[in-house]
Amino acid sequence: QVQLMESGGGLVQAGGSLSLSCAISGSGFRLTAMGWYRQAPGKQRELVATMTSGGATNYGDSVKGRFTISRDYVKNTIYLHMSSLESDDTAVYYCNARGYHFTDPLDAWGQGTLVTVSP
């Protein structure tokens, strides 16, 4: 079984910074990509940032230049550093891991962590 555990959410003032982390645990998995998505109240889940196993990154248009995704390959942990936060960044942030669990396709999600940006 593969599990994702997020941490680091909370309340921050607009213009401030916050970092999230997501650790993946389990055995028998091989990751092709990990990333972050978010869902604001009344809106669809959207891409924040992803990173492939080769290190290629992709960011949602609304966070480019403000957010940075990184990964610790040894710890199987990804991070999201968020800066210049805006009220529109308020959302539940979800960690995602894709790849294979033994021979089965893997598309795992964390439970989500709430980020609230106050005006």
Side-chain angles (χ1 to χ4, degrees):
Q1 189 174 3
V2 176
Q3 292 185 324
L4 278 65
M5 182 62 68
E6 301 129 331
S7 61
L11 176 65
V12 62
Q13 286 189 328
S17 299
L18 195 66
S19 292
L20 307 179
S21 64
C22 174
I24 181 168
S25 61
S27 61
F29 62 85
R30 177 172 62 86
L31 301 178
T32 56
M34 292 187 72
W36 294 92
Y37 294 76
R38 68 185 182 186
Q39 187 166 18
K43 295 186 178 181
Q44 290 187 333
R45 190 172 296 189
E46 64 174 358
L47 166 73
V48 176
T50 60
M51 177 180 281
T52 69
S53 58
T57 58
N58 183 40
Y59 292 91
D61 289 340
S62 62
V63 306
K64 285 179 181 177
R66 300 188 299 121
F67 291 11
T68 302
I69 187 171
S70 61
R71 179 174 172 181
D72 185 324
Y73 288 84
V74 174
K75 296 181 179 179
N76 276 324
T77 300
I78 62 167
Y79 306 92
L80 183 70
H81 180 67
M82 305 180 289
S83 61
S84 302
L85 283 160
E86 306 166 352
S87 57
D88 285 347
D89 295 319
T90 295
V92 177
Y93 284 70
Y94 296 92
C95 177
N96 173 252
R98 297 180 181 179
Y100 295 90
H101 185 227
F102 295 103
T103 58
D104 296 327
L106 173 69
D107 186 7
W109 293 87
Q111 80 286 355
T113 185
L114 177 63
V115 172
T116 303
V117 182
S118 63

